[in-house]
Amino acid sequence: MKGFLNQLTPAWTSPSRLRDKGIIGMNRRNIRYIGRYNNRRLYPLVDDKLKTKLLAQSHGVTSPVLIGTVETQFGIKQLRATLQGHRGFVVKPAKGSGGKGILVIEQSDGQAYIKPSGARLSLVDIERHVSNILSGLYSLGGSPDVAVIETLINFDKSLLAYTYEGVPDIRVIIFKGYPVMAMMRLSTAASDGKANLHQGAVGVGLDIASGHALRGVQFDRPCQRHPDTDHDLAELKVPHWQTLLNLAASCYEMTGLGYLGTDMVLDRDHGPMLLELNARPGLAIQMTNGEGLRPRLDLIERQPEGLAPRARVAFAQHHFARHSELVSSADSTDVNT
């Protein structure tokens, strides 16, 4: 948040000025929204990725196919058989957070398992990673965990120019079933192929109405082009945007959580898919959008209950539409000539 504040104000600023800009901090998020609208008994539905996946399947929400799980150290001996026939896959801790412990294997050649970076791992390496997951190395609080193995996401080809050795994902904040604000996270060399803003991924604010890019940020600084592919962020538009928003909005009914972060991916064969959910979504989305959440949240709190997901999406698209701050290279060339 500090970088966002520095972009909007020339120096350290007062709480009143932040309120005027509609920015919410962790205290307001935790007390006013998470504490009020998220029943703690529902947290396990989203804190455990395996429970989230099974819940999504029961509600007909598309998500990556589950290959298998490993729940005990003894079960590690079955890994070879579990992975056989799968050219690519993802191993992740069920209770992990912030992308920690996620291992992506893009292909295998019979001799080794190959990461997107080209690094080659043996079966022993995979087994060691799974063992670390089970021991709680990546879980919240270090509690014993379960390793979840999923099919590899073949992300939409239209996004190839916007990512480096990783899968771009879309975070949508859902409040009382309404999509409030959205961003795409683009992996970079600095982030080691992970869509993690704190590690150096590019965050791109997205227009709720259209899925077009609004502005880009990397390391808390404005970003016009992808640092590795040099592709113009102004040209970014998320495909299947309407379907993605409807899917994200339906997670309100699926979980019962009023304040929710939905992380989506775009598969070239299956379209928008739910990757995971977060009952305590971070606030960096305000930085990527260059706008505070509070005015939008206040408006939604005044709306009546009982609207269907599609009606809630339509409301958000009407009221939260924005013009992009990015200038495409083609437009800037025209202006200069």
Side-chain angles (χ1 to χ4, degrees):
M1 286 298 293
K2 177 182 174 183
F4 177 40
L5 306 185
N6 288 341
Q7 288 181 49
L8 298 185
T9 55
W12 294 104
T13 189
S14 65
S16 61
R17 291 191 65 184
L18 298 182
R19 285 196 297 269
D20 291 342
K21 293 182 181 296
I23 300 163
I24 68 169
M26 290 184 65
N27 287 342
R28 185 175 182 85
R29 181 203 66 173
N30 294 343
I31 298 169
R32 174 65 184 249
Y33 304 112
I34 295 177
R36 180 178 296 186
Y37 293 101
N38 288 356
N39 190 318
R40 290 192 65 84
R41 69 178 177 81
L42 299 175
Y43 280 24
L45 296 178
V46 297
D47 285 347
D48 187 316
K49 294 178 179 63
L50 181 57
K51 289 183 178 180
T52 302
K53 176 173 289 294
L54 297 177
L55 182 67
Q57 289 177 353
S58 68
H59 283 75
V61 174
T62 309
S63 63
V65 174
L66 180 66
I67 294 175
T69 61
V70 182
E71 301 182 13
T72 66
Q73 294 289 342
F74 179 79
I76 293 175
K77 296 180 179 180
Q78 306 302 317
L79 259 181
R80 184 188 295 275
T82 300
L83 300 178
Q84 190 170 2
H86 295 281
R87 181 175 173 82
F89 54 87
V90 178
V91 183
K92 60 177 65 173
K95 300 175 185 177
S97 64
K100 296 175 182 176
I102 296 177
L103 174 64
V104 178
I105 298 299
E106 195 170 68
Q107 57 180 309
S108 58
D109 59 8
Q111 302 296 322
Y113 298 93
I114 305 169
K115 298 170 64 175
S117 64
R120 299 169 66 87
L121 303 181
S122 66
L123 179 63
V124 172
D125 294 324
I126 305 291
E127 291 175 338
R128 184 182 301 110
H129 184 75
V130 170
S131 179
N132 287 336
I133 290 175
L134 298 182
S135 67
L137 183 61
Y138 310 107
S139 67
L140 293 168
S143 60
D145 208 345
V146 172
V148 178
I149 306 171
E150 296 176 338
T151 54
L152 186 67
I153 298 161
N154 296 310
F155 65 88
D156 196 288
K157 290 182 179 179
S158 65
L159 301 176
L160 278 172
Y162 298 103
T163 189
Y164 176 86
E165 294 183 354
V167 177
D169 68 10
I170 299 103
R171 160 69 59 87
V172 184
I173 299 293
I174 302 295
F175 181 50
K176 298 183 70 176
Y178 291 79
V180 179
M181 196 171 278
M183 68 174 172
M184 176 173 272
R185 295 174 291 200
L186 308 175
S187 57
T188 65
S191 69
D192 193 30
K194 296 182 174 63
N196 188 311
L197 299 186
H198 299 294
Q199 295 179 9
V202 173
V204 181
L206 300 172
D207 175 33
I208 286 289
S210 65
H212 275 104
L214 295 173
R215 67 197 303 268
V217 177
Q218 186 189 31
F219 293 123
D220 298 336
R221 295 179 178 274
C223 180
Q224 181 76 30
R225 311 179 73 85
H226 191 284
D228 304 302
T229 70
D230 198 40
H231 207 75
D232 198 342
L233 298 180
E235 300 175 10
L236 191 156
K237 182 181 185 298
V238 179
H240 312 295
W241 183 243
Q242 202 68 33
T243 301
L244 186 147
L245 282 188
N246 289 330
L247 188 65
S250 70
C251 291
Y252 173 54
E253 280 83 4
M254 186 178 87
T255 64
L257 291 165
Y259 191 80
L260 188 67
T262 64
D263 291 343
M264 321 288 290
V265 290
L266 289 164
D267 187 270
R268 69 184 64 167
D269 299 315
H270 304 288
M273 305 176 79
L274 176 65
L275 194 60
E276 59 183 75
L277 298 171
N278 195 320
R280 315 166 195 81
L283 297 170
I285 197 167
Q286 298 177 110
M287 175 179 65
T288 63
N289 278 263
E291 183 178 348
L293 280 162
R294 185 170 179 175
R296 301 186 183 194
L297 299 174
D298 287 348
L299 177 61
I300 290 171
E301 282 191 311
R302 297 194 294 269
Q303 303 312 306
E305 303 284 346
L307 289 182
R310 289 181 183 275
R312 300 193 301 261
V313 169
F315 177 92
Q317 290 182 305
H318 175 73
H319 288 278
F320 304 147
R322 282 211 17 223
H323 292 295
S324 177
E325 298 176 19
L326 295 164
V327 179
S328 70
S329 55
D331 291 340
S332 61
T333 300
D334 291 341
V335 170
N336 292 332
T337 56

